[in-house]
């Protein structure tokens, strides 16, 4: 059950948006805010794993499996940034950050990154063959924010290691080449590889992106910072649910009472704070539903609105484009340019070649500039039992965080927040 060993560079084996958010929270004075995160197994994948293995002659001992998984996660928390890796992150942040006040803080941020120590984060892991895996951790936001993606990737690879056979990297490369050919044929769809968190293994992930680079050497892009470094690419990312969830939880006046005005104000503040650091934002609009997002958007200044672009992570994509168009048209003015012109939209909800082809065909006359963030379909589309797992921000100080989504079955958070959230916001 021994997991592969780690080295300092593995701290870059994560998604770029985590570093982008980390720098933003550092600039806004939130580094020491105490937060907690919670693992969610959306379809009971870990319990199903034990059910499959109990059917064999040699059932797995849950305590031994837990100890091995905890050992791997703990080993990761002991890593420290190498100076060259911290400099790589800062160099790309310098390109992304457009505000002089933020750029002036990069040197201090780099020093704090070099002092990064996740071993003080409180990590809790329980494992039961019936109930499945429970994983949570808490600590200062500056530190805890960098654990989500690596922890998910470790959990996914850890359980995949128990498979009796593994995919050949040649077959992975062949499947990736075929997919890239379809994306190219679909009007040169702008595709970014987003597959770190639920990948089959790091070796598979490396084979996938190397194939993408070979297929599209001029446009290949990934959210993974380590692979970006290795292939001399600019890492790509957006602003996550977590950013807005933090602001809502911090602003809520009671533990479980959700107020529409407070939520709208929190979303507006989150957008404005981000734009004090960066020149633009790709915002996940479904955190408290896209309609609520646009209530906040309407309170922004005209120059701020020009900097906001959109990411769709739930619901039918063409319905989303129609809703965006309708909301943006409300901003139309005779003295201003078309409010849709120049707007970018990132789709990232369980995408596949079939789905991308469908969107590309249906949106051929759209004024939006479309991008596609493709994750599991690249790095874990291998006819194995993939884990449908996430880690979400769970608590800020003494307030539970929550996410509604545009699709009700994607709710994350305390049950009392679910009831009041849908009643007030949906």
């Amino acid at each position: 059950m021994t997991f592969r060993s780690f080295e300092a560079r593995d701290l870059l084996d994560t998604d770029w948006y985590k570093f982008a958010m980390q720098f933003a929270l550092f600039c806004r004075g939130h580094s020491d805010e105490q937060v907690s995160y919670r693992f969610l197994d959306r379809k009971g994948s870990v319990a199903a794993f034990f059910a499959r293995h109990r059917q064999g002659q040699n059932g797995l001992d849950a305590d031994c499996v837990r100890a091995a998984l905890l050992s791997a996660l703990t080993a990761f928390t002991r890593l420290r940034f190498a100076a060259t890796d911290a400099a790589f992150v800062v160099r790309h942040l310098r390109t992304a950050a457009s505000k002089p006040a933020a750029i002036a803080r990069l040197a201090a941020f780099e020093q704090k990154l070099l002092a990064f120590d996740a071993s003080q984060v409180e990590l809790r892991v329980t494992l039961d063959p019936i109930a499945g895996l429970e994983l949570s951790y808490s600590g200062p936001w500056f530190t805890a924010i960098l654990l989500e993606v690596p922890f998910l990737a470790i959990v996914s690879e850890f359980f995949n290691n128990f498979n009796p056979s593994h995919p050949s990297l040649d077959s992975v490369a062949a499947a990736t080449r075929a997919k890239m050919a379809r994306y190219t044929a679909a009007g040169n769809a702008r595709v970014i590889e987003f597959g770190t968190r639920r990948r089959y293994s790091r070796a598979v992930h490396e084979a996938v992106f190397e194939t993408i680079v070979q297929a599209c050497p001029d446009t290949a892009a990934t959210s993974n910072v380590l692979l970006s470094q290795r292939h001399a690419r600019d890492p790509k990312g957006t602003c996550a649910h977590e950013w807005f969830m933090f602001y809502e939880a911090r602003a809520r006046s009671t533990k479980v009472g959700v107020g529409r005005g407070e939520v709208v104000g929190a979303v507006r503040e989150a957008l404005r704070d981000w734009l004090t650091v960066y020149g633009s934002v790709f915002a996940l609009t479904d955190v408290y539903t896209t309609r609520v997002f646009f209530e906040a958007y309407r309170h922004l200044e005209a120059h701020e609105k020009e900097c906001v672009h959109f990411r769709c992570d739930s619901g039918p994509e063409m319905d989303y484009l129609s809703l965006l168009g309708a909301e943006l048209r409300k901003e139309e003015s005779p003295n201003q340019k078309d409010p849709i012109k120049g707007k970018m939209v990132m789709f990232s909800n369980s995408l596949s070649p079939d789905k991308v082809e469908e969107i590309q065909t249906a949106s051929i006359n759209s004024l939006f500039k479309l991008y596609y963030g493709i994750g599991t379909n690249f790095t874990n589309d291998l006819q194995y039992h993939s884990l449908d797992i996430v880690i979400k921000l769970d608590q800020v100080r003494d307030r539970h965080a929550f996410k509604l989504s545009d699709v009700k079955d994607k709710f994350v958070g305390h049950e009392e927040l679910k009831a009041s959230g849908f009643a007030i916001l949906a």
Side-chain angles (χ1 to χ4, degrees), residues 138-398:
S138 56
W141 200 18
F142 183 92
T143 305
I145 196 170
L146 291 190
L147 298 181
E148 173 199 340
V149 176
F151 274 13
L152 285 170
I154 290 168
V155 170
S156 182
E157 183 173 345
F158 177 85
F159 284 103
N160 286 330
N161 284 343
F162 289 94
N163 288 333
S165 63
H166 302 286
S168 73
L169 298 185
D170 286 343
S171 67
V172 170
T176 304
R177 277 193 296 272
K179 290 175 183 178
M180 291 306 297
R182 290 182 66 180
Y183 294 134
T184 300
N188 289 308
R190 302 176 188 89
V191 168
I192 302 173
E193 185 276 308
F194 271 13
T196 306
R197 65 188 59 219
R198 287 185 287 270
R199 66 192 183 192
Y200 186 87
S201 67
R202 185 163 73 179
V204 164
H205 194 182
E206 291 171 344
V208 165
F209 192 63
E210 184 173 335
T211 305
I212 293 173
V213 171
Q214 292 169 356
C216 300
D218 296 330
T219 58
T222 179
S223 61
N224 185 279
V225 182
L226 182 61
L227 291 176
S228 296
Q229 183 190 56
R230 183 175 300 165
H231 292 276
R233 307 278 156 165
D234 294 331
K236 305 296 183 182
T238 66
C239 181
H241 292 118
E242 175 183 357
W243 184 256
F244 298 96
M245 292 167 70
F246 171 85
Y247 277 80
E248 187 283 327
R250 196 173 63 107
R252 196 182 324 126
S253 56
T254 63
K255 287 189 176 182
V256 295
V258 177
R260 193 179 190 94
E262 285 182 335
V263 172
V264 170
V267 171
R268 181 177 68 248
E269 182 184 4
L271 288 169
R272 282 183 167 159
D273 276 9
W274 185 273
L275 293 173
T276 66
V277 179
Y278 302 107
S280 64
V281 58
F282 253 116
L284 274 156
T285 62
D286 68 342
V287 190
Y288 305 109
T289 75
T290 295
R291 293 190 184 280
V292 170
F293 176 89
F294 271 98
E295 288 186 37
Y297 179 85
R298 283 193 285 274
H299 289 287
L300 299 177
E301 300 294 332
H303 70 276
E304 294 172 322
K305 291 175 183 175
E306 289 183 358
C307 301
V308 178
H309 305 282
F310 313 101
R311 179 174 164 192
C312 171
D313 197 47
S314 60
E317 285 78 8
M318 295 313 298
D319 289 352
Y320 183 82
L321 287 183
S322 295
L323 177 58
L324 282 190
E327 291 290 349
L328 290 171
R329 290 294 182 205
K330 294 176 183 177
E331 305 291 321
E332 206 159 15
S333 165
N335 300 320
Q336 294 180 329
K337 69 176 185 179
D338 187 326
I340 295 178
K341 188 175 181 180
K343 289 297 186 184
M344 295 181 281
V345 177
M346 171 79 73
F347 294 115
S348 59
N349 184 26
S350 302
L351 296 179
S352 65
D354 287 345
K355 202 170 184 181
V356 170
E357 288 168 350
E358 180 183 335
I359 298 167
Q360 285 285 95
T361 300
S363 63
I364 193 166
N365 295 318
S366 174
L367 295 176
F368 292 108
K369 188 173 183 179
L370 305 183
Y371 292 84
Y372 301 91
I374 301 175
T376 307
N377 189 262
F378 268 141
T379 60
N380 207 346
D381 182 33
L382 304 164
Q383 286 72 56
Y384 290 83
H385 295 279
S386 59
L387 276 63
D388 187 5
I389 55 177
V390 295
I391 291 175
K392 291 293 184 184
L393 184 68
D394 184 54
Q395 202 160 338
V396 178
R397 301 175 186 171
D398 64 343

Side-chain angles (χ1 to χ4, degrees), residues 248-249 251-264 288 292 399-404 411 414-426:
E248 187 283 327
R252 196 182 324 126
S253 56
T254 63
K255 287 189 176 182
V256 295
V258 177
R260 193 179 190 94
E262 285 182 335
V263 172
V264 170
Y288 305 109
V292 170
R399 299 285 191 266
H400 283 287
F402 77 105
K403 175 181 78 77
L404 282 186
F411 173 85
H414 195 280
E415 281 300 308
E416 290 186 47
L417 287 169
K418 182 177 183 178
S420 60
F422 276 113
I424 298 298
L425 302 174

